[in-house]
Amino acid sequence: MSNGNSITVQILDKEYSIICPQEERTNLVSAARYLDGKMREIRSSGKVIGADRIAVMAALNITHDLLHKQEVPPVQVAADGSTREQVRDLLDRVDLVLATDSDKAQG
C-alpha cells in the first residue's frame, strides 16, 4: 500500500500497513508500540505460544488495565454485574486453558 494516508507499523516482527488520517498517525504509532511491547512481554514469559494466542492475551490484559483505570459510576458497575469481576474471571479462564494446552503440547 503506497497510499498517502497509509502508515506501516511493526508489531511482533510483522509489518502492517494501515490507512490512517495524518492527524492520527502519532497516536497510531504509539498504540502499535504499546501493543508490540505487551505482546513481547507475554511472548518472553514463555507461558503463551503462538502469535494469535499472544495477541488475545495482550488484548485481554490491555482491556483489563483500561477497565481498572477507567472511572465507572457505581450505578453502571452494579447494573452490568461488575465488569471488572467478569474480566478477571475471563483472564483466569484463558490462563487455565492456555496452561492446559501448553501441558498437552509438551507431553
Side-chain angles (χ1 to χ4, degrees), residues 21-35:
Q22 184 69 35
E23 64 272 10
E24 290 295 322
R25 286 180 178 219
T26 303
N27 289 337
L28 176 63
V29 169
S30 294
R33 284 185 185 149
Y34 185 79
L35 177 58

Side-chain angles (χ1 to χ4, degrees), residues 11-60:
I11 301 171
L12 207 60
D13 304 325
K14 285 190 176 184
E15 287 190 354
Y16 298 88
S17 291
I18 302 167
I19 295 175
C20 178
Q22 184 69 35
E23 64 272 10
E24 290 295 322
R25 286 180 178 219
T26 303
N27 289 337
L28 176 63
V29 169
S30 294
R33 284 185 185 149
Y34 185 79
L35 177 58
D36 181 63
K38 287 291 187 183
M39 289 179 70
R40 287 178 186 282
E41 283 176 26
I42 292 167
R43 182 176 67 180
S44 70
S45 76
K47 294 179 182 178
V48 182
I49 299 172
D52 290 348
R53 289 175 182 260
I54 291 169
V56 169
M57 288 304 299
L60 286 170

Side-chain angles (χ1 to χ4, degrees), residues 53-73:
R53 289 175 182 260
I54 291 169
V56 169
M57 288 304 299
L60 286 170
N61 285 331
I62 291 167
T63 303
H64 182 262
D65 291 346
L66 175 67
L67 289 174
H68 271 73
K69 291 178 183 174
Q70 198 175 47
E71 291 191 10
V72 180

